[in-house]
Each structure stands twice: as structure tokens, then as C-alpha cells.
Amino acid sequence: MLILAVSPDVAAHLARALMLYERRAADRGEVVPAELVTVAEAAIVASRRQAAPTWPVGVADGGPGADDAPVLLTTAAAGRLLSVSTRQVDRLLSDGTLSRVRLGGAVRVARSEIDELVASRVAAQRKVS
């Protein structure tokens, strides 16, 4: 078994090359192995795949479109949203200021907790001044 991970462009070139080979082999009366036909068909399908969906620019970091932002953020995205380093986010998680949400082996931070943290800090600073 052979598994290839190639871009859609490479898959399209591979599909064209294999189809050309099949035509020439058929013209000469040669038998094309079934496995080669299967690879050609897979290459055609791979070349037509659509790109994975992406978030609009700025969504993960609280920019334009943040209302549609994901509910759970990576520590890096949480750091960007708070304008702090990922190490500072880790400290907030360690001291219990923010709660960890585990998804398999991944650690995420709830967007709502970040919003609550910011609101409470702003309110506390208003009382001081």
C-alpha cells in the first residue's frame, strides 16, 4: 500500500500524467494494471477537493467578526485576545483565574471566561479610581 500526501495541484498533474499513460497504453494494446487506474481516479478526486474552511481574518484574536468567534480558544488565541503571552495565560490557568477545558489532549480556554475576567478587572479598576 502506498499513501501520498500531495497538494491539489500536484494531484491534478499526477491525474493528467496517469490518464495520458492509460491512453497510450490502450493505443498500444497494453493492459493497464487496475491499481494504476485506482490511483488515477484517486488523484482526480484529490485534485478537486476544496480547501478547508478558515475563520475570517481577526476572529480568533478579537478583531472584526469577533462576535462569531469560537467558543473555545487555544492558549495562544487567548493570549492574543488579552494582549499577553501564552506563558501569562498558562499562569492564569495555573492559579485558577481561568479554567482549563480539556478536549482530548488539548487545553482550551472558554471565551466567556476571558470576557468575564476582562469585565471584572475593568470594574475593579473603576472602583479604585
Side-chain angles (χ1 to χ4, degrees):
M1 178 191 315
L2 173 67
I3 298 175
L4 292 175
V6 297
S7 70
D9 290 338
V10 172
H13 287 291
L14 180 61
R16 282 193 293 273
L18 290 171
M19 289 188 311
L20 180 61
Y21 172 78
E22 284 181 67
R23 273 190 234 125
R24 289 184 178 163
D27 289 345
R28 291 188 301 257
E30 297 174 2
V31 177
V32 177
E35 292 85 2
L36 191 58
V37 174
T38 302
V39 170
E41 290 169 353
I44 292 168
V45 170
S47 69
R48 293 182 183 156
R49 287 210 175 117
Q50 295 178 347
T54 58
W55 289 100
V57 173
V59 167
D61 59 1
D67 293 338
D68 300 327
V71 176
L72 297 175
L73 303 171
T74 63
T75 55
R80 285 192 301 273
L81 196 59
L82 292 168
S83 297
V84 299
S85 67
T86 55
R87 187 166 177 96
Q88 182 61 35
V89 174
D90 289 336
R91 287 185 193 118
L92 294 170
L93 291 167
S94 294
D95 70 15
T97 303
L98 292 173
S99 300
R100 283 180 175 85
V101 177
R102 293 202 180 268
L103 247 49
V107 173
R108 298 290 185 257
V109 180
R111 169 70 191 252
S112 59
E113 283 210 18
I114 293 173
D115 294 339
E116 290 170 16
L117 173 67
V118 171
S120 68
R121 299 281 169 102
V122 168
Q125 287 182 4
R126 283 187 183 155
K127 288 180 186 177
V128 172
S129 37

